[in-house]
Amino acid sequence: MAAEIVNPRSDSSTGHEGDSELVDSFDPAFALHRGGKMAVQATVPVRDKDDLSLAYTPGVAKVCTAIAEQPELVNDYTWKSNVVAVVTDGTAVLGLGDIGPEASLPVMEGKAILFKQFGGVDAVPIALATTDTDEIVETVVRLAPSFGGVNLEDISAPRCFEIERKLQERLDIPVFHDDQHGTAVVTLAALRNAAKLTGRTLGDLRGVISGAGAAGVAIAKFLLEAGIGDVAVADRKGVVSRDREDLTPVKRELAEITNKAGLSGSLESALAGADVFIGVSGGTVPEPAVASMAQNAFVFAMANPNPEVHPDVAHKYAAVVATGRSDYPNQINNVLAFPGIFAGALQVRASQITEGMKIAAANALADVVGDELSADYVIPSPFDERVAPAVTAAVAAAARAEGVARR
C-alpha cells in the first residue's frame, strides 16, 4: 500500500502538476503525521439544548458583554490566558532552511504538541505567507487579542531580531523567539553545571561560539548577562571583531560587547586555550583545533544531525561533551525550556519575558540535576517530570520580582 505525494514542481506548459512520487505509507514518520498531529478538543460538554444555550447563544452574550465592559476578564472567561501562537514564515526550518509556510507546518504542529505535553500550555500553529518583516509584525499584532503569548519559530536572521523587537514594543504579552532564547537558556544551564563539575564558575570561562545567526547571537548575549568571563563569536569569515569592516548591524553590536580578548582571525585560532566551544552553525571543527583548547574544556557541538565536533573526537580532549542529539548524553534541547517558560509567564499573566526570567529558568533547569551531576549528566532529560514544574515556578517568581506579573 502506498500514498501518493504530489511533487510541488509544476509543469507550466500543461497547467498540471509535475511527476508524482510514491511514499511508503509504512514509513513511521509519514504514518505518524498523516492527518496532522493535533486537533481542537472542547473542555465543556454540549449534550442538549441547555448546554448549547450556555456554550453559545444566548448565554455567551452575557460573557461577551462582561468582557466588553471589563476587558481583563477575557483572561478568565476564554482560553486566551493559556494559549500561545506559534508563528513562522518558514524561512529557517530546522536544518531544512527556507522551505515555505506550508512545509513548515509539521514542525509548528510538533512545537504545539510539545507545549501541551511538557508545559500544559495550548498552542496554535500559524504559518504566514509573507517574509516581509513589517507584514509579519502587523499580522501578529492583529492576531494578538486571541493569544496570551507569541512564540516566534524558524524565522531567518537577521529579520528575526527586528520582528521580535518590534512585537515586544507593540504587544503587552510575552513574545519569545525560541530559536534564540530557548537555546540560550538550555546552554547556560548545561554550562553552569559543567563549570560546577570542574570546580569553576562562569566567570572563570572563556568561550568561543561558532555561528553568528539567531542562536549564536542570543547565546553570546545571554552568557554575558549571566557573567561569563569572555566569549567570542565566529561566523564564516572568522571571529566577529571590531577591526572587521564587513559586519552587519547585528554583528557590529556583537563586536562591541563580546571578545574582550581582542581576538581576530579564524575560529580555529580562537579555540587555542579556550574553555568552551559552543557550536550552532554546522560545519566541522578540525581535531587539532579541539586539541588546542584548555584542560578540562567543554565542547557543546549542537548542530543536527552532524555535530561540529563528533562526540568521539570531543571526548578525547573535553571534560564535558554535549550535543543537540537525543542519542548522546547531555542533549541541549529547547523543549527543556520553552514549555516551562511560557507556563510560568502565563501563570502570572506577565507582560513580557525578561532577561531575569530567562536566567531564572536556566538556574532552575540546572538545579534539577542536583547531586546526580556527572560528566554525562549536566542537563536533565526532557522526560524528567521535575523539569517543567521547576522552570514554571522559577519564571513565575522572577516575573513577580521584576514587576512584569499582573497577578
Side-chain angles (χ1 to χ4, degrees):
M1 182 71 68
E4 186 176 57
I5 303 297
V6 177
N7 189 310
R9 292 176 297 178
S10 176
D11 183 346
S12 59
S13 65
T14 64
H16 296 296
E17 295 296 324
D19 295 337
S20 62
E21 300 173 0
L22 294 180
V23 175
D24 184 356
S25 63
F26 292 104
D27 184 315
F30 282 95
L32 182 97
H33 287 77
R34 178 173 287 280
K37 300 189 292 294
M38 56 186 296
V40 174
Q41 180 176 337
T43 59
V44 297
V46 184
R47 298 160 299 195
D48 52 37
K49 65 181 181 64
D50 292 331
D51 288 345
L52 181 60
S53 68
L54 290 173
Y56 200 54
T57 186
V60 74
K62 295 179 182 180
V63 182
C64 293
T65 301
I67 294 172
E69 293 173 354
Q70 299 181 61
E72 67 276 8
L73 292 178
V74 70
N75 293 297
D76 296 309
Y77 294 103
T78 72
W79 76 341
K80 178 182 172 74
S81 63
N82 195 55
V83 66
V84 170
V86 180
V87 178
T88 190
D89 63 359
T91 54
V93 181
L94 298 177
L96 304 174
D98 185 354
I99 60 175
E102 289 87 353
S104 76
L105 270 176
V107 177
M108 301 310 116
E109 287 182 2
K111 195 81 172 190
I113 65 174
L114 295 180
F115 264 111
K116 188 66 173 180
Q117 174 74 23
F118 293 101
V121 173
D122 292 304
V124 177
I126 299 175
L128 301 179
T130 178
T131 59
D132 181 85
T133 295
D134 290 331
E135 287 184 359
I136 291 172
V137 170
E138 292 299 328
T139 301
V140 175
V141 167
R142 283 160 174 72
L143 289 170
S146 295
F147 298 98
V150 176
N151 183 96
L152 299 173
E153 190 76 18
D154 293 347
I155 298 173
S156 63
R159 296 159 46 257
C160 60
F161 304 116
E162 184 178 1
I163 290 168
E164 182 185 48
R165 177 180 58 80
K166 287 183 173 180
L167 285 173
Q168 286 175 333
E169 290 170 354
R170 295 183 59 180
L171 298 177
D172 66 348
I173 58 175
V175 178
F176 186 83
H177 183 213
D178 187 52
D179 300 313
Q180 291 184 62
H181 311 300
T183 307
V185 164
V186 182
T187 300
L188 174 59
L191 192 56
R192 278 197 185 283
N193 275 341
K196 179 180 178 181
L197 182 68
T198 56
R200 290 176 285 178
T201 67
L202 283 178
D204 298 325
L205 305 177
R206 176 173 75 83
V208 178
I209 298 173
S210 175
V217 170
I219 291 170
K221 290 182 176 180
F222 196 51
L223 293 182
L224 288 171
E225 182 76 20
I228 194 170
D230 192 15
V231 63
V233 181
D235 62 11
R236 291 182 179 87
K237 297 182 179 179
V239 175
V240 174
S241 58
R242 294 183 182 183
D243 59 358
R244 280 180 50 181
E245 298 180 355
D246 61 342
L247 300 179
T248 64
V250 170
K251 292 179 184 179
R252 176 62 58 190
E253 177 191 1
L254 202 59
E256 294 296 324
I257 62 174
T258 62
N259 192 16
K260 290 187 293 187
L263 302 174
S264 60
S266 68
L267 166 71
E268 290 80 5
S269 65
L271 281 176
D275 302 292
V276 185
F277 168 77
I278 297 172
V280 285
S281 66
T284 302
V285 177
E287 183 170 344
V290 182
S292 74
M293 295 178 68
Q295 187 176 8
N296 287 325
F298 313 137
V299 173
F300 292 6
M302 298 186 285
N304 268 318
N306 299 311
E308 294 89 347
V309 182
H310 192 280
D312 292 344
V313 173
H315 277 295
K316 294 181 184 179
Y317 311 102
V320 176
V321 177
T323 72
R325 292 175 50 149
S326 60
D327 53 347
Y328 289 101
N330 298 326
Q331 184 190 20
I332 307 296
N333 190 329
N334 289 19
V335 77
L336 288 162
F338 69 82
I341 289 173
F342 267 100
L346 294 174
Q347 184 181 95
V348 297
R349 295 179 188 166
S351 58
Q352 60 180 293
I353 295 173
T354 65
E355 291 300 299
M357 292 161 71
K358 289 182 278 188
I359 288 176
N363 290 342
L365 186 54
D367 288 345
V368 168
V369 171
D371 295 338
E372 301 170 72
L373 180 63
S374 70
D376 283 344
Y377 188 60
V378 297
I379 198 76
S381 162
F383 297 99
D384 188 324
E385 294 181 355
R386 300 171 295 173
V387 167
V391 173
T392 299
V395 169
R400 292 191 177 102
E402 298 204 344
V404 298
R406 287 177 286 200
R407 78 170 196 181

